[in-house]
Amino acid sequence: PISDFESDALVGKLKNYIDKNWKQRSRINHYSKTSEFFKWCAKTCSPKKISKNPLEDRETIKAPKAKRNVCTVEQAERILAEAWKTDKEEGMLAYWVITLFLGTRPQSEMQWLTWDDVYLNDPDDSFLHVRESKTGEERRVEITAQAYEWLMICNRQLPIFKRGLDRSGKEIPSFAWYNKNRRDILNKAGILNE
């Protein structure tokens, strides 16, 4: 039960697991997200699953305060509905599906992702290959059955993240396209104000 994590023994086990199995950058992210989850359990769940965030105010853990909120299920549904409406023209549905369901970084990993990196073999054996990230590492991301179904209806004639040309003629990600369409979809879904 989540409430068991209020005991020092289980918090210690969690801390040891994170320290042992995660690299430095991932460790900070993992502490942050775990702390965010416990905070959510303490404040939002009804009935309460836990009385306090066990990772809060523990100097040995040094969990950074979360800077962003995770979108709710309802917000994700509204985003996907708006992206689906414009997918034939803008092709941004795949971007949202991969970002929301598979946890890729919205800019650093998504900006170079192409349909050639997405392997839709069948619902039980599909993945995408992330080639570019902040760390420069490549990684394989398993595609869940839910994400697979969404990706099957995406417009695969358009790129996942549009490209443009810089002054020298070199192909680069189009952040003008990204910023405009992302903002439009979030505005129409009513997310930016929230």
Side-chain angles (χ1 to χ4, degrees):
I2 294 169
S3 57
D4 286 354
F5 279 97
E6 293 186 16
S7 75
D8 288 336
L10 272 191
V11 171
K13 279 185 182 178
L14 178 62
K15 180 186 179 306
N16 289 337
Y17 178 85
I18 294 170
D19 286 343
K20 181 180 167 192
N21 294 295
W22 292 79
K23 295 178 186 172
Q24 177 60 33
R25 178 182 297 242
S26 300
R27 193 180 309 147
I28 291 168
N29 289 339
H30 199 74
Y31 279 138
S32 175
K33 295 301 177 193
T34 307
S35 182
E36 199 174 291
F37 170 72
F38 282 134
K39 222 177 277 179
W40 175 79
C41 289
K43 291 182 180 176
T44 311
C45 289
S46 182
K48 284 193 168 191
K49 306 276 185 203
I50 200 167
S51 65
K52 63 174 185 165
N53 172 10
L55 296 181
E56 203 166 69
D57 301 326
R58 287 179 176 264
E59 285 183 29
T60 52
I61 290 177
K62 295 180 183 170
K65 299 284 183 208
K67 294 178 184 167
R68 297 183 184 133
N69 293 326
V70 177
C71 75
T72 65
V73 173
E74 293 77 18
Q75 289 172 328
E77 287 173 348
R78 294 196 319 251
I79 290 169
L80 291 171
E82 288 302 325
W84 191 5
K85 290 177 190 174
T86 61
D87 193 46
K88 283 190 169 70
E89 302 82 38
E90 297 301 334
M92 208 168 187
L93 180 59
Y95 167 87
W96 285 108
V97 169
I98 293 169
T99 304
L100 290 171
F101 290 131
L102 305 179
T104 55
R105 294 180 182 94
Q107 286 187 13
S108 63
E109 292 183 336
M110 291 297 294
Q111 66 183 344
W112 296 109
L113 195 69
T114 68
W115 284 109
D116 290 339
D117 300 318
V118 179
Y119 299 89
L120 298 170
N121 305 326
D122 65 63
D124 298 322
D125 180 32
S126 294
F127 64 95
L128 55 95
H129 186 204
V130 177
R131 299 175 191 280
E132 302 283 338
S133 68
K134 283 183 181 176
T135 61
E137 295 176 4
E138 296 184 2
R139 67 187 181 108
R140 175 185 166 122
V141 178
E142 299 298 324
I143 296 176
T144 62
Q146 185 180 26
Y148 177 87
E149 289 190 33
W150 275 100
L151 289 171
M152 293 306 289
I153 63 169
C154 290
N155 182 356
R156 285 181 276 191
Q157 303 305 310
L158 293 174
I160 294 172
F161 202 108
K162 283 196 179 175
R163 308 273 190 275
L165 300 175
D166 67 7
R167 291 181 184 156
S168 66
K170 182 181 172 189
E171 189 178 80
I172 58 169
S174 174
F175 286 101
W177 167 85
Y178 167 77
N179 290 329
K180 178 192 173 297
N181 289 294
R182 179 180 174 277
R183 194 175 301 114
D184 285 351
I185 287 170
L186 292 176
N187 270 327
K188 288 175 185 169
I191 306 296
L192 282 184
N193 294 334
E194 295 175 15

